[in-house]
Amino acid sequence: MPEVVPTYESEICPAALRGFCVGSIQLFLTFGSLIAGIVNEGLSKLTTDAGWMVATGVQMVPALIILSGLYFTPNSPRWLISKNRRSDALKALKVFRPKRAAEEGLCEAEIVALENSDNRSDKAPWKALFNASNRRRTSIALVIMSLQQLTGVTFSSSYGPTFYKQVGLGDKAFAYAAINNGVSVVTAIIGMYMFDVFGRRDLTFHGCYLQAVFLCLIGGLGAKPNRSTSDTNGMVASFILYAAILHATLGPAAYITAAEVGTATLREKTMALSTAWNVVVGFVVVYTTPYLLSTPGANLGAKLGYVWGACASVGAIWTWFFMPELKGRSLEEVDELFDSGLPAWKFKQYQCTGLDREVLASFQAKAGDEEDNKYGGRVVELGTV
């Protein structure tokens, strides 16, 4: 699921909505954590088998919803083009685009552009992920997926109550954890909007260094031998703000970037590999966190914030030098950007000249009145082609 859904969304969405749609996965993951916490707390007092049975049954609900909706979900137009199913691709594209775009022939324009891109090429083998032309894309997907875990997302979502208990807030552990998840749900929604307004690169950069600030505040306040009530409150506030920033920036940015950075012949494999790597790194984080947090082990307690804060600082540096800005670019333009060989910080200013832009320009030229020209301009802005 985490690799299939973002890939599918990246292929069907207009470029200007790709961050919003793909970034929604972080919202649902965070919302799931909130619901799981509430369910677990409600069932924690039960001493019968009903506790685990109800908790397991609740997890079936979203699976059944997804399963029932698959029948009504069209195939990706890009995938259909790769299978030489032009008419089916056009039909599917008209489902995903505004009615007026279909009436004015803009869907046909997009299909023409897709037919003349790498979408018509055969899928490349796994080893091609690391050849000279693709290893840069693959490394970007792997690194940002690693950073998502290494800045402590599991520390926030899985060990929040444990952390609160260790710092002497056991009676409020659930309440604080619920507030933490609730605030993160809100900021995840805000993040979905901001990625298509301010861009992936800027949000991720600012998100990483702000996470580092609050994580180091957690470590600093928690390390005090005689912590005051104000120190404890500051530590709790820092923990909540850190998680809120994570779920609005780096959390969804990892999925968005990994989903859109791959070339057409390797997009699914790029997302699959980076998601698998995310799981591996996440396992390492989940496995080591209890030993770092408590005894037996390093017993770092709140000082664990320094560890995740250092990783967030590294993330900010990496983002500045290596993360490209892909906001508003069609997936075909992404190919042109990487083919240009530009450093990451110059992607935003690059003017693409690919066939998809040329095809759209020809359709705009045929528009007969000013209103149509305005609409065509909006389509360029939305990156429909």
Side-chain angles (χ1 to χ4, degrees), residues 114-162:
L114 294 179
E115 287 180 319
N116 288 276
S117 69
D118 283 344
N119 289 285
R120 293 299 295 271
S121 304
D122 293 332
K123 296 299 181 182
W126 285 93
K127 64 181 180 180
L129 286 168
F130 299 98
N131 64 23
S133 60
N134 290 303
R135 67 170 66 103
R136 182 185 182 188
R137 300 182 182 214
T138 304
S139 65
I140 290 171
L142 291 174
V143 171
I144 196 168
M145 280 293 204
S146 300
L147 288 171
Q148 185 201 54
Q149 293 290 342
L150 292 174
T151 54
V153 65
T154 308
F155 178 46
S156 166
S157 61
S158 300
Y159 291 101
T162 303

Side-chain angles (χ1 to χ4, degrees), residues 9 18-27 188 192 195 252 255-256:
E9 290 177 323
R18 196 166 59 240
F20 179 89
C21 294
V22 180
S24 66
I25 189 171
Q26 188 67 39
L27 168 64
M192 288 167 57
F195 276 106
Y255 293 108
I256 296 169

Side-chain angles (χ1 to χ4, degrees), residues 260-322:
E260 64 189 3
V261 77
T263 185
T265 58
L266 287 167
R267 188 169 297 121
E268 300 90 341
K269 292 181 176 68
T270 301
M271 190 66 198
L273 178 65
S274 60
T275 303
W277 184 243
N278 179 272
V279 172
V280 171
V281 177
F283 170 78
V284 173
V285 172
V286 169
Y287 184 82
T288 58
T289 295
Y291 296 100
L292 294 172
L293 193 61
S294 309
T295 302
N299 196 29
L300 293 177
K303 293 180 183 178
L304 185 57
Y306 288 136
V307 176
W308 306 137
C311 292
S313 298
V314 171
I317 296 171
W318 175 85
T319 300
W320 182 263
F321 287 103
F322 298 105

Side-chain angles (χ1 to χ4, degrees), residues 152-179:
V153 65
T154 308
F155 178 46
S156 166
S157 61
S158 300
Y159 291 101
T162 303
F163 170 76
Y164 290 127
K165 288 179 180 178
Q166 189 175 32
V167 298
L169 298 171
D171 57 331
K172 299 178 181 179
F174 170 72
Y176 283 140
I179 292 171

Side-chain angles (χ1 to χ4, degrees), residues 2 11 14 17 24 40 44 61 68 76 82 84 112 123 146 177 179 181 203 237 270 283 293 315 327 356 358 380:
E11 291 193 348
L17 296 176
S24 66
N40 289 338
S44 62
V61 175
S68 63
S76 163
S82 73
N84 295 315
V112 171
K123 296 299 181 182
S146 300
I179 292 171
N181 283 326
L203 274 181
T270 301
F283 170 78
L293 193 61
K327 182 194 80 165
D356 54 339
E358 295 176 9
V380 171

Side-chain angles (χ1 to χ4, degrees), residues 12 29 106 129 131 147 152 183 192 197 211 252 274-275 365 368-369:
I12 67 172
L29 290 172
L106 293 171
L129 286 168
N131 64 23
L147 288 171
V183 171
M192 288 167 57
V197 176
Q211 284 180 76
S274 60
T275 303
D369 54 63

